[in-house]
Amino acid sequence: PVPRMELAHGYKDKKDRLSDVNGGLFTYPILMAADILLYDAEIVPVGKDQKQHIEMTRDVAGTFNHLHGDVLVLPKEQIDENTMTVPGIDGEKMSKSRNNFINIFLPEKELKKQVMAIVTDSKGLEDVKNPDECKIFAIYKLLADEASVQTMRINYTSGGYGYGHAKLALFDLILSKFEHERSRYNHLMNNFDEIDAALKIGAEKARLVAKDVLKRVREKVGY
């Protein structure tokens, strides 16, 4: 079956707000399908909300293969159950379009401001808190080791530990965990030639696979 584009989650979520809807939003799943099928991808790491795109991609490939033989690879999704949904600083799902994400590559002052903006309830410093209902804790446990997670859980349930403490702990964790990546990012932002060289190598590798896929498709459709 050919996928019905009006059933795509991204379109359905915004169709009642016409100012947010355009042709790009409506046809995006097909663009994603082309990006996947062009490179014979077998396994595609995605978040839970992207699973539908893989299903649509399989529908496109399956329909083409039904008509023309075994030409396109049918991909499967790979979802990490621990990180399939990451909360944003406003409590909703983290998203660049909602501007509710934490940019780990920001300078320290700006990064700290983002972390400190995570929405919490109104419980005070001495109040006992439920870590499983807290967005700070939800993000922290995605990054921290098990011992650190358990320590913070005890802090939450013992009282005398405020959300400000938890936010600072998360901020410090981000700085330490991504110290190498932040350093590398800053280096690359001052050396664009290294980025261009890496992109060129990747493009050549991708082009070899894509040319073979396009050749198979064109032969089948007589183009």
Side-chain angles (χ1 to χ4, degrees):
V2 177
R4 292 179 55 188
M5 304 304 297
E6 72 273 15
L7 298 180
H9 296 322
Y11 173 75
K12 287 174 65 177
D13 290 345
K14 297 181 180 179
K15 68 178 182 179
D16 293 330
R17 303 189 303 275
L18 293 181
S19 61
D20 294 336
V21 176
N22 55 37
L25 173 70
F26 188 69
T27 60
Y28 179 69
I30 298 301
L31 175 63
M32 182 177 285
D35 283 340
I36 295 170
L37 298 174
L38 185 59
Y39 302 106
D40 276 345
E42 297 178 353
I43 303 295
V44 185
V46 293
K48 183 180 179 181
D49 60 328
Q50 295 292 308
K51 181 179 179 180
Q52 186 191 50
H53 286 304
I54 307 302
E55 294 170 347
M56 287 184 165
T57 300
R58 289 177 60 85
D59 287 343
V60 170
T63 299
F64 189 91
N65 288 350
H66 178 72
L67 295 172
H68 301 288
D70 190 14
V71 180
L72 299 173
V73 174
L74 271 64
K76 294 182 179 180
E77 74 279 358
Q78 183 179 71
I79 300 175
D80 186 336
E81 296 296 325
N82 294 319
T83 59
M84 60 184 183
T85 302
V86 179
I89 60 176
D90 63 353
E92 300 295 329
K93 183 175 73 72
M94 189 174 285
S95 167
K96 285 192 70 174
S97 63
R98 291 182 60 92
N99 195 32
N100 70 343
F101 65 102
I102 296 175
N103 182 354
I104 65 170
F105 298 113
L106 286 175
E108 286 192 26
K109 184 176 181 180
E110 295 175 42
L111 175 59
K112 183 177 181 181
K113 184 177 180 180
Q114 277 195 339
V115 173
M116 298 305 287
I118 297 175
V119 174
T120 64
D121 59 35
S122 58
K123 288 187 174 67
L125 175 64
E126 299 301 327
D127 293 329
V128 171
K129 301 169 182 65
N130 185 347
D132 297 320
E133 295 179 353
C134 176
K135 302 307 179 185
I136 309 167
F137 185 83
I139 299 173
Y140 185 84
K141 71 179 182 180
L142 294 175
L143 304 176
D145 57 53
E146 186 60 30
S148 298
V149 171
Q150 290 306 315
T151 296
M152 182 174 279
R153 179 178 291 277
I154 292 171
N155 288 336
Y156 266 66
T157 56
S158 298
Y161 187 81
Y163 290 126
H165 294 121
K167 290 177 181 179
L168 289 176
L170 174 59
F171 171 65
D172 290 339
L173 175 61
I174 292 173
L175 290 181
S176 62
K177 188 174 184 67
F178 297 107
E179 179 180 8
H180 172 73
E181 289 80 3
R182 285 169 55 82
S183 176
R184 182 65 175 157
Y185 173 83
N186 289 329
H187 170 78
L188 291 173
M189 289 301 98
N190 290 295
N191 296 275
F192 285 160
D193 56 320
E194 293 186 30
I195 299 176
D196 292 337
L199 289 173
K200 184 176 180 180
I201 293 172
E204 289 300 323
K205 291 180 178 180
R207 189 174 292 113
L208 290 175
V209 178
K211 285 176 64 176
D212 182 61
V213 174
L214 285 174
K215 182 174 181 294
R216 298 199 311 260
V217 169
R218 286 170 173 167
E219 287 176 348
K220 290 296 183 179
V221 299
Y223 175 73

